[in-house]
PDB file of all heavy atoms in Angstrom:
ATOM      1  N   TRP A  53     -57.705 -50.766  38.383  1.00 96.00           N
ATOM      2  CA  TRP A  53     -58.197 -51.472  39.557  1.00 96.00           C
ATOM      3  C   TRP A  53     -58.648 -52.884  39.187  1.00 96.00           C
ATOM      4  O   TRP A  53     -58.434 -53.828  39.950  1.00 96.00           O
ATOM      5  CB  TRP A  53     -59.348 -50.715  40.213  1.00 96.00           C
ATOM      6  CG  TRP A  53     -59.857 -51.385  41.444  1.00 96.00           C
ATOM      7  CD1 TRP A  53     -60.941 -52.214  41.547  1.00 96.00           C
ATOM      8  CD2 TRP A  53     -59.259 -51.367  42.733  1.00 96.00           C
ATOM      9  NE1 TRP A  53     -61.065 -52.679  42.835  1.00 96.00           N
ATOM     10  CE2 TRP A  53     -60.052 -52.174  43.584  1.00 96.00           C
ATOM     11  CE3 TRP A  53     -58.140 -50.719  43.262  1.00 96.00           C
ATOM     12  CZ2 TRP A  53     -59.742 -52.367  44.941  1.00 96.00           C
ATOM     13  CZ3 TRP A  53     -57.846 -50.909  44.609  1.00 96.00           C
ATOM     14  CH2 TRP A  53     -58.635 -51.709  45.410  1.00 96.00           C
ATOM     15  N   GLU A  54     -59.251 -53.028  38.037  1.00 96.00           N
ATOM     16  CA  GLU A  54     -59.681 -54.345  37.584  1.00 96.00           C
ATOM     17  C   GLU A  54     -58.485 -55.281  37.415  1.00 96.00           C
ATOM     18  O   GLU A  54     -58.526 -56.436  37.838  1.00 96.00           O
ATOM     19  CB  GLU A  54     -60.418 -54.221  36.250  1.00 96.00           C
ATOM     20  CG  GLU A  54     -60.914 -55.537  35.666  1.00 96.00           C
ATOM     21  CD  GLU A  54     -61.624 -55.354  34.349  1.00 96.00           C
ATOM     22  OE1 GLU A  54     -62.072 -54.223  34.045  1.00 96.00           O
ATOM     23  OE2 GLU A  54     -61.747 -56.353  33.586  1.00 96.00           O
ATOM     24  N   GLU A  55     -57.398 -54.757  36.850  1.00 97.00           N
ATOM     25  CA  GLU A  55     -56.195 -55.559  36.700  1.00 97.00           C
ATOM     26  C   GLU A  55     -55.623 -55.918  38.070  1.00 97.00           C
ATOM     27  O   GLU A  55     -55.206 -57.066  38.310  1.00 97.00           O
ATOM     28  CB  GLU A  55     -55.155 -54.790  35.887  1.00 97.00           C
ATOM     29  CG  GLU A  55     -53.870 -55.588  35.687  1.00 97.00           C
ATOM     30  CD  GLU A  55     -52.732 -54.736  35.139  1.00 97.00           C
ATOM     31  OE1 GLU A  55     -52.403 -53.700  35.785  1.00 97.00           O
ATOM     32  OE2 GLU A  55     -52.157 -55.101  34.104  1.00 97.00           O
ATOM     33  N   TYR A  56     -55.581 -54.953  38.967  1.00 97.00           N
ATOM     34  CA  TYR A  56     -55.080 -55.196  40.329  1.00 97.00           C
ATOM     35  C   TYR A  56     -55.860 -56.316  41.013  1.00 97.00           C
ATOM     36  O   TYR A  56     -55.268 -57.219  41.624  1.00 97.00           O
ATOM     37  CB  TYR A  56     -55.164 -53.912  41.152  1.00 97.00           C
ATOM     38  CG  TYR A  56     -54.947 -54.097  42.634  1.00 97.00           C
ATOM     39  CD1 TYR A  56     -53.672 -54.330  43.153  1.00 97.00           C
ATOM     40  CD2 TYR A  56     -56.030 -54.022  43.537  1.00 97.00           C
ATOM     41  CE1 TYR A  56     -53.492 -54.485  44.530  1.00 97.00           C
ATOM     42  CE2 TYR A  56     -55.824 -54.191  44.889  1.00 97.00           C
ATOM     43  CZ  TYR A  56     -54.555 -54.425  45.388  1.00 97.00           C
ATOM     44  OH  TYR A  56     -54.365 -54.581  46.741  1.00 97.00           O
ATOM     45  N   SER A  57     -57.174 -56.283  40.899  1.00 97.00           N
ATOM     46  CA  SER A  57     -58.022 -57.306  41.529  1.00 97.00           C
ATOM     47  C   SER A  57     -57.741 -58.684  40.942  1.00 97.00           C
ATOM     48  O   SER A  57     -57.720 -59.696  41.663  1.00 97.00           O
ATOM     49  CB  SER A  57     -59.509 -56.950  41.360  1.00 97.00           C
ATOM     50  OG  SER A  57     -59.813 -55.764  42.064  1.00 97.00           O
ATOM     51  N   GLN A  58     -57.515 -58.749  39.638  1.00 97.00           N
ATOM     52  CA  GLN A  58     -57.227 -60.029  38.999  1.00 97.00           C
ATOM     53  C   GLN A  58     -55.867 -60.571  39.446  1.00 97.00           C
ATOM     54  O   GLN A  58     -55.745 -61.750  39.733  1.00 97.00           O
ATOM     55  CB  GLN A  58     -57.260 -59.844  37.473  1.00 97.00           C
ATOM     56  CG  GLN A  58     -58.648 -59.564  36.917  1.00 97.00           C
ATOM     57  CD  GLN A  58     -58.615 -59.185  35.440  1.00 97.00           C
ATOM     58  OE1 GLN A  58     -57.547 -59.018  34.839  1.00 97.00           O
ATOM     59  NE2 GLN A  58     -59.795 -59.024  34.850  1.00 97.00           N
ATOM     60  N   ILE A  59     -54.865 -59.708  39.483  1.00 98.00           N
ATOM     61  CA  ILE A  59     -53.545 -60.129  39.945  1.00 98.00           C
ATOM     62  C   ILE A  59     -53.613 -60.553  41.405  1.00 98.00           C
ATOM     63  O   ILE A  59     -53.042 -61.593  41.792  1.00 98.00           O
ATOM     64  CB  ILE A  59     -52.523 -58.984  39.765  1.00 98.00           C
ATOM     65  CG1 ILE A  59     -52.286 -58.726  38.282  1.00 98.00           C
ATOM     66  CG2 ILE A  59     -51.206 -59.322  40.464  1.00 98.00           C
ATOM     67  CD1 ILE A  59     -51.432 -57.502  37.997  1.00 98.00           C
ATOM     68  N   ARG A  60     -54.313 -59.788  42.199  1.00 98.00           N
ATOM     69  CA  ARG A  60     -54.442 -60.120  43.611  1.00 98.00           C
ATOM     70  C   ARG A  60     -55.147 -61.461  43.801  1.00 98.00           C
ATOM     71  O   ARG A  60     -54.777 -62.262  44.677  1.00 98.00           O
ATOM     72  CB  ARG A  60     -55.200 -59.014  44.345  1.00 98.00           C
ATOM     73  CG  ARG A  60     -55.157 -59.195  45.862  1.00 98.00           C
ATOM     74  CD  ARG A  60     -55.802 -58.074  46.606  1.00 98.00           C
ATOM     75  NE  ARG A  60     -55.606 -58.314  48.020  1.00 98.00           N
ATOM     76  CZ  ARG A  60     -54.819 -57.610  48.821  1.00 98.00           C
ATOM     77  NH1 ARG A  60     -54.145 -56.587  48.354  1.00 98.00           N
ATOM     78  NH2 ARG A  60     -54.690 -57.922  50.105  1.00 98.00           N
ATOM     79  N   GLY A  61     -56.144 -61.748  42.968  1.00 97.00           N
ATOM     80  CA  GLY A  61     -56.846 -63.017  43.050  1.00 97.00           C
ATOM     81  C   GLY A  61     -55.909 -64.192  42.786  1.00 97.00           C
ATOM     82  O   GLY A  61     -55.975 -65.209  43.491  1.00 97.00           O
ATOM     83  N   LEU A  62     -55.042 -64.066  41.790  1.00 98.00           N
ATOM     84  CA  LEU A  62     -54.069 -65.124  41.503  1.00 98.00           C
ATOM     85  C   LEU A  62     -53.080 -65.283  42.654  1.00 98.00           C
ATOM     86  O   LEU A  62     -52.731 -66.414  43.043  1.00 98.00           O
ATOM     87  CB  LEU A  62     -53.307 -64.799  40.212  1.00 98.00           C
ATOM     88  CG  LEU A  62     -54.050 -65.062  38.907  1.00 98.00           C
ATOM     89  CD1 LEU A  62     -53.272 -64.501  37.727  1.00 98.00           C
ATOM     90  CD2 LEU A  62     -54.248 -66.575  38.715  1.00 98.00           C
ATOM     91  N   VAL A  63     -52.627 -64.140  43.204  1.00 98.00           N
ATOM     92  CA  VAL A  63     -51.685 -64.185  44.334  1.00 98.00           C
ATOM     93  C   VAL A  63     -52.328 -64.894  45.525  1.00 98.00           C
ATOM     94  O   VAL A  63     -51.677 -65.722  46.201  1.00 98.00           O
ATOM     95  CB  VAL A  63     -51.237 -62.769  44.715  1.00 98.00           C
ATOM     96  CG1 VAL A  63     -50.531 -62.759  46.069  1.00 98.00           C
ATOM     97  CG2 VAL A  63     -50.315 -62.194  43.639  1.00 98.00           C
ATOM     98  N   GLU A  64     -53.574 -64.597  45.786  1.00 97.00           N
ATOM     99  CA  GLU A  64     -54.251 -65.231  46.926  1.00 97.00           C
ATOM    100  C   GLU A  64     -54.402 -66.741  46.718  1.00 97.00           C
ATOM    101  O   GLU A  64     -54.320 -67.519  47.676  1.00 97.00           O
ATOM    102  CB  GLU A  64     -55.625 -64.597  47.169  1.00 97.00           C
ATOM    103  CG  GLU A  64     -55.544 -63.146  47.695  1.00 97.00           C
ATOM    104  CD  GLU A  64     -54.681 -63.019  48.944  1.00 97.00           C
ATOM    105  OE1 GLU A  64     -54.816 -63.865  49.858  1.00 97.00           O
ATOM    106  OE2 GLU A  64     -53.866 -62.087  49.006  1.00 97.00           O
ATOM    107  N   LYS A  65     -54.626 -67.176  45.485  1.00 97.00           N
ATOM    108  CA  LYS A  65     -54.669 -68.620  45.197  1.00 97.00           C
ATOM    109  C   LYS A  65     -53.336 -69.276  45.500  1.00 97.00           C
ATOM    110  O   LYS A  65     -53.263 -70.351  46.087  1.00 97.00           O
ATOM    111  CB  LYS A  65     -55.032 -68.833  43.717  1.00 97.00           C
ATOM    112  CG  LYS A  65     -56.469 -68.612  43.367  1.00 97.00           C
ATOM    113  CD  LYS A  65     -56.713 -68.928  41.884  1.00 97.00           C
ATOM    114  CE  LYS A  65     -58.165 -68.676  41.493  1.00 97.00           C
ATOM    115  NZ  LYS A  65     -58.394 -68.967  40.044  1.00 97.00           N
ATOM    116  N   ILE A  66     -52.261 -68.600  45.106  1.00 96.00           N
ATOM    117  CA  ILE A  66     -50.917 -69.124  45.362  1.00 96.00           C
ATOM    118  C   ILE A  66     -50.632 -69.144  46.848  1.00 96.00           C
ATOM    119  O   ILE A  66     -50.101 -70.123  47.395  1.00 96.00           O
ATOM    120  CB  ILE A  66     -49.869 -68.279  44.612  1.00 96.00           C
ATOM    121  CG1 ILE A  66     -50.027 -68.477  43.088  1.00 96.00           C
ATOM    122  CG2 ILE A  66     -48.450 -68.629  45.055  1.00 96.00           C
ATOM    123  CD1 ILE A  66     -49.229 -67.521  42.260  1.00 96.00           C
ATOM    124  N   ARG A  67     -50.976 -68.067  47.554  1.00 96.00           N
ATOM    125  CA  ARG A  67     -50.750 -68.009  48.994  1.00 96.00           C
ATOM    126  C   ARG A  67     -51.496 -69.111  49.722  1.00 96.00           C
ATOM    127  O   ARG A  67     -50.974 -69.712  50.690  1.00 96.00           O
ATOM    128  CB  ARG A  67     -51.177 -66.631  49.543  1.00 96.00           C
ATOM    129  CG  ARG A  67     -50.277 -65.474  49.092  1.00 96.00           C
ATOM    130  CD  ARG A  67     -50.691 -64.177  49.756  1.00 96.00           C
ATOM    131  NE  ARG A  67     -50.418 -64.225  51.180  1.00 96.00           N
ATOM    132  CZ  ARG A  67     -51.246 -63.795  52.120  1.00 96.00           C
ATOM    133  NH1 ARG A  67     -52.438 -63.295  51.773  1.00 96.00           N
ATOM    134  NH2 ARG A  67     -50.921 -63.850  53.410  1.00 96.00           N
ATOM    135  N   LYS A  68     -52.683 -69.392  49.275  1.00 95.00           N
ATOM    136  CA  LYS A  68     -53.476 -70.463  49.901  1.00 95.00           C
ATOM    137  C   LYS A  68     -52.804 -71.813  49.712  1.00 95.00           C
ATOM    138  O   LYS A  68     -52.743 -72.628  50.641  1.00 95.00           O
ATOM    139  CB  LYS A  68     -54.869 -70.470  49.306  1.00 95.00           C
ATOM    140  CG  LYS A  68     -55.827 -71.448  49.972  1.00 95.00           C
ATOM    141  CD  LYS A  68     -57.235 -71.323  49.408  1.00 95.00           C
ATOM    142  CE  LYS A  68     -58.182 -72.303  50.113  1.00 95.00           C
ATOM    143  NZ  LYS A  68     -59.575 -72.196  49.557  1.00 95.00           N
ATOM    144  N   LYS A  69     -52.264 -72.031  48.516  1.00 94.00           N
ATOM    145  CA  LYS A  69     -51.565 -73.295  48.241  1.00 94.00           C
ATOM    146  C   LYS A  69     -50.292 -73.381  49.068  1.00 94.00           C
ATOM    147  O   LYS A  69     -49.836 -74.505  49.405  1.00 94.00           O
ATOM    148  CB  LYS A  69     -51.209 -73.380  46.761  1.00 94.00           C
ATOM    149  CG  LYS A  69     -52.397 -73.351  45.803  1.00 94.00           C
ATOM    150  CD  LYS A  69     -53.139 -74.652  45.755  1.00 94.00           C
ATOM    151  CE  LYS A  69     -54.251 -74.616  44.697  1.00 94.00           C
ATOM    152  NZ  LYS A  69     -55.096 -75.826  44.751  1.00 94.00           N
ATOM    153  N   GLN A  70     -49.679 -72.256  49.370  1.00 93.00           N
ATOM    154  CA  GLN A  70     -48.404 -72.250  50.068  1.00 93.00           C
ATOM    155  C   GLN A  70     -48.538 -72.125  51.582  1.00 93.00           C
ATOM    156  O   GLN A  70     -47.525 -72.021  52.273  1.00 93.00           O
ATOM    157  CB  GLN A  70     -47.554 -71.086  49.528  1.00 93.00           C
ATOM    158  CG  GLN A  70     -47.126 -71.234  48.082  1.00 93.00           C
ATOM    159  CD  GLN A  70     -46.424 -70.008  47.534  1.00 93.00           C
ATOM    160  OE1 GLN A  70     -46.607 -68.895  48.055  1.00 93.00           O
ATOM    161  NE2 GLN A  70     -45.619 -70.174  46.514  1.00 93.00           N
ATOM    162  N   LYS A  71     -49.744 -72.151  52.071  1.00 91.00           N
ATOM    163  CA  LYS A  71     -49.948 -71.996  53.499  1.00 91.00           C
ATOM    164  C   LYS A  71     -49.185 -73.075  54.272  1.00 91.00           C
ATOM    165  O   LYS A  71     -49.273 -74.268  53.981  1.00 91.00           O
ATOM    166  CB  LYS A  71     -51.433 -72.088  53.823  1.00 91.00           C
ATOM    167  CG  LYS A  71     -51.754 -71.754  55.278  1.00 91.00           C
ATOM    168  CD  LYS A  71     -53.258 -71.713  55.506  1.00 91.00           C
ATOM    169  CE  LYS A  71     -53.579 -71.328  56.947  1.00 91.00           C
ATOM    170  NZ  LYS A  71     -55.038 -71.272  57.193  1.00 91.00           N
TER     171      LYS A  71
END
Side-chain angles (χ1 to χ4, degrees):
W53 182 262
E54 180 181 340
E55 181 192 56
Y56 168 75
S57 295
Q58 292 171 353
I59 292 172
R60 189 175 185 111
L62 282 171
V63 167
E64 291 306 315
K65 285 182 181 179
I66 292 170
R67 292 184 67 224
K68 186 175 181 181
K69 300 284 185 187
Q70 294 174 337
K71 188 174 182 179

